[in-house]
Amino acid sequence: MEIADPLDLAYMAIGAKQALVEHDDISCRARFEGELDFIQACIDQVGCLDRAWQRQNDQFPGVWCYEVAEPFGYGYGAHLLRGGEPARAEEILGGIVAAATEAAG
């Protein structure tokens, strides 16, 4: 089993933390058993992020951890805090990758 890039994991957590700060109310957080549980739920998707990176074949035009990993942590985290389901992770990530690629191109 290959281990995900530690910077990707770190930047996902940074984005997730920002989502938690911006969506910090009891109704959103009731789904998780505290911050650790929420961050864990977000970084559990690091495999999804790693697979998306592999599909880039070293052709991503920007800085992956800044332009994809952190926004994915934020976007996916915000999605979870609004009651969204984990099954949408790939869709959320796909939109972020597409937007970052378009912005760089």
Side-chain angles (χ1 to χ4, degrees):
M1 178 171 117
E2 189 169 323
I3 297 176
D5 184 309
L7 284 175
D8 287 349
L9 188 60
Y11 275 87
M12 276 184 72
I14 289 168
K17 175 67 175 184
Q18 185 62 38
L20 186 60
V21 167
E22 291 183 15
H23 297 86
D24 188 24
D25 67 63
I26 288 297
S27 64
C28 289
R29 295 179 72 179
R31 183 170 177 187
F32 300 96
E33 295 178 22
E35 181 178 298
L36 290 177
D37 189 42
F38 169 71
I39 297 295
Q40 185 66 56
C42 291
I43 64 173
D44 280 348
Q45 294 297 332
V46 74
C48 173
L49 184 67
D50 191 53
R51 288 188 298 278
W53 168 251
Q54 297 303 322
R55 288 192 295 273
Q56 296 297 310
N57 294 317
D58 293 326
Q59 299 300 310
F60 184 74
V63 180
W64 185 261
C65 61
Y66 296 153
E67 297 172 45
V68 177
E70 185 174 356
F72 177 52
Y74 178 86
Y76 181 68
H79 167 75
L80 291 179
L81 289 168
R82 290 189 303 266
E85 294 302 317
R88 293 213 37 227
E90 296 268 353
E91 178 186 344
I92 292 166
L93 179 57
I96 291 167
V97 171
T101 301
E102 183 177 318

